[in-house]
């Protein structure tokens, strides 16, 4: 199988977990390249439901190896609990799980700092998950953080190094936030115990991915969040702290562009967003509430209600171009099954002018007002469809419009939450 990158095309929560699970059965590796436990990938297999935060979705396929890449920030407490929960369900994890020694190590004080910062910002808060992601990346960038490779140190060295970092964080908690310090020795001792669990999985990613680099092994690159939350290309400052676009796949794994292969963007058949920040096509009131309930739009990580809106083609075309997507996969088409009409934002009104170019200035996006095209609904269930010809004519027309406007092939359509509820097409949806 050719290597493939899976990238969120919107504001995250596009259903990447299901798509990675569906595509990873035939690969050697699934590589998670950025983010941390702020991700929530929900996978339904029959009556079983799995919610993964750090462990790549490919772990649910026997024999597939998984890597947590160097572009991630990893909470070892959360990772241990997630691994044990999967193993209790009968999945072999530790023999197939690999953790890059270069990945940043997320500590409990990062979560405390995240909460305090958000609380201080009040109405101007980002709306983070509170998982400590931003503070952990900050430590990485200012070169003061721990890395997963530190878990390979002798116990006394690791404990000493951890206490030093915790005491430094406690100074910030005390002096800047007037908050209680975290228990340095207790946490350091816990980390030493955790290192015994984690250290057999910590690897040199350059060495273990040699087969992918040389083309003798195949890989699926798994992203978290979405394009519009990318630290450089998203709706700054209401973004995540890492590169969730195509560049993150390379820097987060150490693999070059020749290793990437297909680049598939995942888009919901509508849009959602968690947290604060501009969302031009957002639906407020009863329409938004109805879409949320129909789609079960509540965060897998936080349980927060997602903001819902119509498909945004301005942002969508931007995501396709920024990532160089070779194809897109549309998820949750079935959520629209009972709507009488469906709208798509095809342009923005910005300061009296109509534009189809996504504005990157932070101050401009909140002033954008969507210009809509309307489509008739199909009022028929799509959940049993497995081929394009099975879809209602109005659903086909909607997909054909999206394919034309995004200017790239739709290579898959999800019509339900189960891994088998998929329509795959190699030549797009346009007849």
């Amino acid at each position: 199988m050719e290597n493939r990158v899976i990238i969120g095309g919107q504001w995250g929560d596009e259903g990447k977990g299901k798509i990675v699970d569906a595509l990873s059965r035939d690969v050697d590796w699934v590589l998670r390249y950025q983010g941390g436990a702020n991700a929530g990938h929900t996978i339904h297999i029959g009556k079983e439901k799995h919610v993964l935060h750090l462990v790549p979705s490919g772990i649910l396929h026997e024999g597939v190896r998984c890597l947590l890449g160097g572009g991630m920030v990893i909470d070892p407490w959360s990772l241990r609990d997630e691994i044990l929960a999967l193993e209790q369900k009968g999945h072999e994890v530790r023999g197939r799980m690999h953790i890059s020694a270069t990945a940043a190590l997320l500590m409990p004080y990062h979560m405390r700092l995240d909460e305090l910062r958000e609380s201080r910002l009040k109405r101007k808060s980002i709306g983070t998950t509170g998982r400590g992601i931003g503070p952990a990346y900050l430590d990485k960038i200012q070169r003061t953080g721990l890395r997963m490779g530190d878990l390979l140190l002798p116990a006394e060295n690791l404990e000493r190094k951890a206490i030093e970092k915790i005491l430094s964080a406690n100074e910030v908690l005390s002096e800047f936030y007037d908050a209680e310090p975290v228990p340095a020795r207790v946490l350091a001792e816990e980390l030493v115990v955790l290192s015994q669990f984690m250290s057999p999985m910590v690897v040199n990613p350059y060495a273990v991915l040699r087969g992918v680099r040389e083309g003798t092994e195949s890989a699926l690159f798994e992203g978290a969040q979405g394009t519009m939350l990318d630290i450089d290309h998203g709706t700054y400052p209401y973004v995540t702290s890492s590169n969730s676009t195509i560049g993150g796949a390379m820097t987060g794994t150490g693999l070059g562009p020749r290793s990437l292969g297909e680049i598939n963007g995942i888009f919901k058949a509508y849009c959602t967003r968690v947290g604060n920040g501009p969302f031009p096509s957002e639906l407020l009131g009863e329409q938004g509430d109805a879409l949320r309930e129909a789609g079960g739009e509540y965060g897998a990580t936080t349980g927060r209600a997602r903001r819902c809106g119509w498909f945004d083609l301005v942002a969508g075309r931007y995501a396709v171009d920024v990532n160089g997507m070779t194809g897109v996969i549309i998820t949750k088409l079935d959520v629209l099954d009972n709507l009488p009409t469906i709208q798509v934002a095809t342009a923005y009104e910005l300061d009296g002018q109509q534009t189809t170019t996504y504005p990157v200035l932070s101050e401009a996006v909140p002033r954008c007002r969507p210009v809509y095209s309307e489509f008739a609904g199909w009022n028929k269930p799509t959940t049993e469809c497995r081929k394009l010809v099975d879809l209602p004519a109005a659903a086909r027309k909607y997909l054909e419009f999206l394919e034309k406007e995004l200017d790239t092939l739709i290579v898959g359509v999800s019509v339900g939450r189960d891994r088998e509820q998929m329509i795959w097409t190699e030549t797009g949806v346009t007849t």
Side-chain angles (χ1 to χ4, degrees):
M1 178 179 173
E2 185 177 10
N3 295 344
R4 192 186 302 248
V5 187
I6 299 299
I7 294 179
Q10 297 161 325
W11 283 271
D13 306 307
E14 302 96 347
K16 296 181 292 297
K18 171 186 171 171
I19 302 304
V20 171
D21 170 66
L23 291 172
S24 60
R25 68 187 76 191
D26 298 320
V27 300
D28 297 303
W29 288 93
V30 174
L31 314 174
R32 169 80 184 274
Y33 56 84
Q34 49 78 220
N38 55 335
H41 290 171
T42 304
I43 299 162
H44 294 267
I45 305 170
K47 293 182 179 180
E48 266 198 346
K49 175 182 176 181
H50 300 274
V51 180
L52 304 176
H53 299 285
L54 287 162
V55 177
S57 305
I59 204 70
L60 299 175
H61 289 286
E62 187 177 345
V64 175
R65 287 166 285 168
C66 295
L67 174 78
L68 302 184
M72 293 184 65
V73 290
I74 299 173
D75 174 352
W77 285 266
S78 293
L79 180 57
R80 175 201 58 196
D81 293 346
E82 197 170 320
I83 289 172
L84 291 175
L86 283 164
E87 289 181 341
Q88 285 173 3
K89 290 184 176 181
H91 298 282
E92 186 228 339
V93 178
R94 275 176 277 184
R96 298 186 286 129
M97 174 66 72
H98 304 267
I99 306 167
S100 173
T102 63
L105 198 157
L106 190 150
M107 293 288 286
Y109 58 76
H110 290 127
M111 287 182 270
R112 186 74 181 117
L113 289 167
D114 198 357
E115 293 165 359
L116 290 166
R117 183 178 183 277
E118 283 286 277
S119 178
R120 177 168 285 192
L121 288 171
K122 296 179 181 175
R123 286 189 300 174
K124 293 183 179 179
S125 68
I126 305 299
T128 74
T129 59
R131 296 299 194 271
I133 306 302
Y137 274 114
L138 176 61
D139 274 1
K140 172 181 176 173
I141 296 304
Q142 63 187 11
R143 297 158 293 185
T144 58
L146 294 164
R147 301 209 295 180
M148 292 302 290
D150 290 324
L151 299 183
L152 301 178
L153 292 170
E156 61 274 16
N157 293 9
L158 174 59
E159 184 174 346
R160 189 182 312 117
K161 191 170 185 178
I163 287 174
E164 177 187 321
K165 302 296 183 185
I166 297 166
L167 291 176
S168 178
N170 279 342
E171 289 181 13
V172 178
L173 287 169
S174 172
E175 295 176 15
F176 190 72
Y177 291 105
D178 194 25
E180 289 292 318
V182 296
R185 186 162 296 279
V186 171
L187 286 179
E189 289 173 353
E190 285 183 14
L191 191 61
V192 169
V193 173
L194 269 172
S195 71
Q196 298 169 20
F197 181 91
M198 294 288 168
S199 58
M201 295 179 275
V202 177
V203 298
N204 175 347
Y206 177 77
V208 299
L209 295 180
R210 188 178 302 279
V212 178
R213 190 175 292 105
E214 294 175 351
T216 59
E217 294 178 331
S218 58
L220 189 66
F221 296 73
E222 178 182 36
Q225 290 84 47
T227 296
M228 307 312 294
L229 295 178
D230 183 274
I231 184 67
D232 292 312
H233 304 291
T235 49
Y236 187 89
Y238 300 96
V239 292
T240 194
S241 302
S242 59
N243 287 115
S244 49
T245 48
I246 190 64
M250 292 180 283
T251 58
T253 61
L255 293 165
R258 286 182 294 181
S259 299
L260 298 183
E262 295 275 332
I263 302 169
N264 288 168
I266 314 302
F267 294 82
K268 273 180 185 163
Y270 50 99
C271 280
T272 63
R273 177 168 194 160
V274 171
N276 300 329
F279 184 7
S281 66
E282 182 174 12
L283 283 170
L284 301 174
E286 291 183 6
Q287 272 191 309
D289 293 342
L291 195 52
R292 182 181 305 110
E293 293 306 315
E297 297 297 352
Y298 296 89
T301 298
T302 63
R304 288 183 295 178
R306 295 176 184 141
R307 299 155 62 192
C308 297
W310 297 121
F311 197 101
D312 185 333
L313 272 171
V314 182
R317 284 187 290 260
Y318 173 73
V320 168
D321 290 345
V322 163
N323 292 291
M325 293 176 183
T326 59
V328 302
I329 297 170
I330 303 296
T331 63
K332 289 198 166 185
L333 181 70
D334 55 298
V335 174
L336 305 182
D337 283 354
N338 297 315
L339 295 183
T341 58
I342 297 160
Q343 297 194 79
V344 178
T346 55
Y348 293 157
E349 287 277 357
L350 176 59
D351 300 333
Q353 300 290 321
Q354 191 169 121
T355 181
T356 57
T357 300
Y358 192 83
V360 297
L361 292 178
S362 304
E363 297 78 10
V365 184
R367 301 200 307 274
C368 290
R369 298 293 175 264
V371 177
Y372 288 117
S373 292
E374 187 169 282
F375 294 82
W378 41 93
N379 292 306
K380 294 179 182 177
T382 58
T383 52
E384 298 300 319
C385 298
R386 298 294 179 269
K387 298 178 181 178
L388 285 173
V389 294
D390 299 335
L391 289 171
R396 285 281 298 273
K397 183 177 180 180
Y398 179 65
L399 292 171
E400 288 170 1
F401 179 78
L402 295 184
E403 182 174 78
K404 177 177 179 292
E405 293 297 316
L406 290 171
D407 196 24
T408 189
L409 295 180
I410 292 177
V411 296
V413 181
S414 171
V415 290
R417 64 186 190 179
D418 192 82
R419 61 162 50 152
E420 303 302 331
Q421 291 179 294
M422 288 293 305
I423 298 170
W424 297 106
T425 171
E426 296 181 0
T427 57
V429 298
T430 304
T431 54

